Amino acid sequence: MPVQTATHTATPGHEPSTAARILDVRTVPYAIPYRKPLRFASGSIDLADNVLVEIVTSDGVVGIAEAPPRPYTYGETQASIVAVIEQIFAPAIIGLSILDREQVRSRLARTVGNPTAKAAIDMAMWDAWGKTIGTPVHSLLGGFTDQLQVSHMLGFDDPDVVAAEAIQLRETLGIASFKIKVGRRPIPLDVAVCKAVREALGPEAELYIDGNRGWTAAESALAVRQLEDVGLSRVEELCPADDVLGRRWLVSQCPIPFVADESAPTPADVTREILSGAATAVSIKTARTGFSDSLRVSHLAEGLGIEAVIGNQIDAHLGTVCSLVFGASQEITSRSAAELSNYLDMADGLLQEPLLIENGHMRVPDGPGLGVRLDPEKVARYRVDL
């Protein structure tokens, strides 16, 4: 399938800067299977059917990023991401400078939703800028530290299976922080898993849970009480955000940080959730807020005095690099283990360079832009015809 392109002229009314201009926007839908599907309360993933996004500049530089469709969370599909970029977003931004990020953000905002499509364009622009000036995006964003501690997500399965997976990851990669997916009924199913993982790993490992909105507020409160002896560091999205009174009641009695994730995809949502008492911490996912809005959220978290953690949109390899680059660039997001390891369950990837987890940490690539390169043969092998 030929790479899909859009070659329209940007809308008038703005004078681009003299920096390299956006000459083309390319989308490459691809599909790579997972060796081990991840199951959770709001859905499951057994195929990385993502969209590679490339920003081509007038200097011949190609900035890259990718968008992972999550129809059960944001309503996007692989086909919708390609369509909105090709038909709406590309015509609106071609001709602008790669430094016109705020102008691009404003033009993309005219179309509601489509968070991962917007985020991929933003991150590809940052990558293009870094490559143009020979500087890592990590440094352009802030460059606080050069590595992050890694946390791994554990999906639904029997207690002994989940515990064995956690032990193997600690023994082979040194990972000592785990997010356990919960939200099933009856509640004892997930309580048993959490207790089995704690017993297997001992008291030193960090454990926290993510309900993906699967329980009611009352069920969530019961589960938190039953898990008191497990020693959770935080909980995430245990109940629906639109249960306004129930959620505030739950958060008011939660003894540990309650993280907003799907309920807070924008800076405005973060403000509303925190100030309304519906959460006490926030998960930042570059797959939905890119680098520019992730900066907004991290600065907002600092101003509000809340914890900000790096979440995982079940990212593929390139998306993982984006999360790593951003998370390590800010002090607030470097304090907690970042969810960076679920690419391990994929059968393959598109990058030339392997991602390495050593002693439970991942180091930021030191090359210009994102610091990684695509493997053209793999891009050709896994791209799909929509």
Side-chain angles (χ1 to χ4, degrees), residues 289-326:
T289 44
F291 293 141
S292 297
D293 269 18
S294 292
L295 282 173
R296 283 176 163 85
V297 175
S298 66
H299 296 162
L300 179 60
E302 287 182 340
L304 293 171
I306 62 171
E307 182 179 0
V309 298
I310 294 296
N312 192 307
Q313 201 65 49
I314 317 178
D315 299 307
H317 297 71
L318 181 54
T320 297
V321 172
C322 290
S323 295
L324 170 64
V325 163
F326 179 81

Side-chain angles (χ1 to χ4, degrees), residues 107-174:
R107 295 186 184 191
L108 299 188
R110 297 170 186 168
T111 303
V112 298
N114 299 282
T116 68
K118 294 173 180 176
I121 288 174
D122 176 76
M123 292 187 290
M125 288 179 64
W126 279 87
D127 182 47
W129 179 29
K131 288 174 177 174
T132 298
I133 63 175
T135 304
V137 168
H138 169 255
S139 298
L140 297 174
L141 290 167
F144 179 74
T145 183
D146 65 354
Q147 62 181 322
L148 290 178
Q149 183 185 355
V150 175
S151 178
H152 185 78
M153 289 196 299
L154 299 166
F156 290 164
D157 216 321
D158 295 333
D160 57 338
V161 174
V162 179
E165 180 181 355
I167 290 173
Q168 188 215 15
L169 287 165
R170 185 176 66 176
E171 291 180 348
T172 57
L173 300 176

Side-chain angles (χ1 to χ4, degrees), residues 81-104:
I81 290 170
V82 170
V84 77
I85 291 176
E86 184 179 75
Q87 298 173 22
I88 300 176
F89 292 162
I93 67 174
I94 287 175
L96 295 179
S97 160
I98 56 172
L99 296 182
D100 288 336
R101 291 187 303 276
E102 288 301 291
Q103 183 65 215
V104 168

